[in-house]
Amino acid sequence: MEETIAGAENTQIAGQIPQQRGGSLLETAVRYAEERHWDVFPGTWLEAVDGVQRCSCGDASCPAPGAHPARPDWATQATGSATVARRMWQKQPTASILLPTGRTFDALSVPESAGFLALARMERMESTLGPVTLSPDRRMHFFVLPGGSVKVPELVRKLGWTSSSLDLVALGERAYVAAPPTRFGSRGAVQWACRPTPANRWLPDAEELISPLAYACGRDR
């Protein structure tokens, strides 16, 4: 599913990305709905303007070209139906794949450097991990059970930090993440740092990941 960093193998650490499955945006969006039961919705897409890839929103300085909602009512557009997903991407096959959080999963977003540090620590701790994305904006998103975002401020406080002191963002209701193989303009595509597998269908609770993530973000400041 999507692209692979050169030399990457099936490992979660040391900046390496596991092997990705191929497929079009349409096929991948349908697969997310059908196999993972994730809600999906199409976002903006990239258009060539004078030889330059621009966001379909028309903003030449768009901060996430081709990787954000295309309409304000995106939350009502999101669907868990593979049939509806197929129909939506048939209308615009190059639309980005966006996943609303706060439904089948929440996401904990951290800087890339902290994310890889946390992954190495979690592997040593033999922690249970869900899927993890790596975005071209140098953010990693750890998928956790829905409702996890509400717990994060108190969990962080118990560890001796404040939410404002760490670059750890909890995404729940009214938020979303871009899914592989969505592209951020010329910066590249979203990839899986830990790809979805049958083994990680059951997501961890935010409480299980917060300690290594907070530690890594603290080191990364």
Side-chain angles (χ1 to χ4, degrees), residues 60-159:
S61 59
C62 178
H68 64 85
R71 43 194 279 186
D73 62 342
W74 61 264
T76 61
Q77 186 188 24
T79 180
S81 165
T83 301
V84 175
R86 182 177 299 279
R87 189 159 58 241
M88 289 195 294
W89 266 271
Q90 283 175 338
K91 292 179 180 177
Q92 183 48 257
T94 58
S96 54
I97 302 174
L98 305 180
L99 311 176
T101 52
R103 299 189 182 188
T104 50
F105 64 87
D106 282 4
L108 305 181
S109 173
V110 300
E112 175 186 310
S113 53
F116 279 120
L117 177 62
L119 281 176
R121 187 176 176 87
M122 290 173 190
E123 184 170 88
R124 292 195 299 271
M125 296 167 62
E126 298 184 352
S127 300
T128 300
L129 277 174
V132 182
T133 64
L134 172 61
S135 300
D137 59 358
R138 305 187 71 83
R139 303 289 299 184
M140 294 180 77
H141 297 87
F142 291 72
F143 290 20
V144 296
L145 287 171
S149 60
V150 178
K151 304 176 184 178
V152 167
E154 179 62 15
L155 292 172
V156 168
R157 188 191 66 79
K158 287 181 177 179
L159 292 171

Side-chain angles (χ1 to χ4, degrees), residues 10-208:
N10 288 327
T11 180
Q12 299 172 349
I13 62 173
Q16 294 180 310
I17 305 300
Q19 185 69 32
Q20 317 284 317
R21 292 170 61 186
S24 67
L25 287 158
L26 184 154
E27 293 168 342
T28 305
V30 168
R31 192 156 63 234
Y32 288 150
E34 198 166 55
E35 296 180 6
R36 299 299 293 199
H37 304 294
W38 289 340
D39 283 6
V40 298
F41 69 96
T44 53
W45 56 93
L46 296 173
E47 299 175 331
V49 179
D50 297 328
V52 178
Q53 293 290 311
R54 295 278 178 84
C55 185
S56 62
C57 72
D59 182 358
S61 59
C62 178
H68 64 85
R71 43 194 279 186
D73 62 342
W74 61 264
T76 61
Q77 186 188 24
T79 180
S81 165
T83 301
V84 175
R86 182 177 299 279
R87 189 159 58 241
M88 289 195 294
W89 266 271
Q90 283 175 338
K91 292 179 180 177
Q92 183 48 257
T94 58
S96 54
I97 302 174
L98 305 180
L99 311 176
T101 52
R103 299 189 182 188
T104 50
F105 64 87
D106 282 4
L108 305 181
S109 173
V110 300
E112 175 186 310
S113 53
F116 279 120
L117 177 62
L119 281 176
R121 187 176 176 87
M122 290 173 190
E123 184 170 88
R124 292 195 299 271
M125 296 167 62
E126 298 184 352
S127 300
T128 300
L129 277 174
V132 182
T133 64
L134 172 61
S135 300
D137 59 358
R138 305 187 71 83
R139 303 289 299 184
M140 294 180 77
H141 297 87
F142 291 72
F143 290 20
V144 296
L145 287 171
S149 60
V150 178
K151 304 176 184 178
V152 167
E154 179 62 15
L155 292 172
V156 168
R157 188 191 66 79
K158 287 181 177 179
L159 292 171
W161 302 91
T162 60
S163 297
S164 60
S165 66
L166 298 177
D167 188 1
L168 195 166
V169 181
L171 302 175
E173 292 184 13
R174 296 181 293 279
Y176 64 90
V177 296
T182 294
R183 298 192 69 83
F184 278 56
S186 61
R187 286 181 281 171
V190 183
Q191 300 184 64
W192 290 113
C194 294
R195 62 185 175 87
T197 67
N200 64 19
R201 182 172 296 277
W202 303 105
L203 299 175
D205 191 279
E207 191 168 0
E208 299 174 58

